[in-house]
Amino acid sequence: MRADITSLFGLNIYTDTGTYVGKVADLVLDIDERTVKGIAVSSINKDIFDVTSKGVIIPYRWVVTTGDIVLIRNIVDRFRKPAKQEPEE
């Protein structure tokens, strides 16, 4: 998959099941290997990520395809906040 790096900035990121993840803010590059190692995600979906920061970095190997959006493998189950359990009586 080849794309102009600047064409990825600002694109919405969704999982392959249609869950919104966030927006591409930046890319993590490995200069020696000339590869993209990760995507810095801003405007993250707080229902998925239980973090206090404004963004996260996801591995580029999770990217399925890019175009008008960035499509990644379904990661929701890995990061979704655990549901609050009601105390048992």
Side-chain angles (χ1 to χ4, degrees), residues 1-2 5 8 27-39 60-61:
M1 168 180 6
R2 295 182 71 108
I5 289 176
L8 298 175
L27 299 172
V28 179
L29 304 175
D30 183 328
I31 301 300
D32 295 330
E33 293 183 23
R34 295 180 170 185
T35 59
V36 177
K37 291 295 184 180
I39 297 178
Y60 195 75
R61 68 179 179 269

Side-chain angles (χ1 to χ4, degrees), residues 3 15 19-20 22 29 32 34 36-37 51 71 75 80 83 87:
T15 66
T19 303
Y20 176 76
L29 304 175
D32 295 330
R34 295 180 170 185
V36 177
K37 291 295 184 180
V51 295
L71 194 64
I75 58 160
R80 181 162 294 202

Side-chain angles (χ1 to χ4, degrees), residues 2 13 25 30 33 38 41-42 46-47 50 55 62 70-71 88:
R2 295 182 71 108
I13 304 169
D30 183 328
E33 293 183 23
V41 182
S42 65
K46 295 289 187 174
D47 292 334
D50 189 18
W62 291 357
V70 175
L71 194 64
E88 294 181 21

Side-chain angles (χ1 to χ4, degrees), residues 73-86:
R73 291 188 189 113
N74 188 13
I75 58 160
V76 174
D77 295 336
R78 295 182 189 184
F79 296 102
R80 181 162 294 202
K81 296 177 187 178
K84 292 183 180 179
Q85 296 179 352
E86 298 291 325

Side-chain angles (χ1 to χ4, degrees), residues 57-73:
I57 296 178
I58 57 172
Y60 195 75
R61 68 179 179 269
W62 291 357
V63 173
V64 175
T65 191
T66 62
D68 293 334
I69 63 169
V70 175
L71 194 64
I72 64 172
R73 291 188 189 113

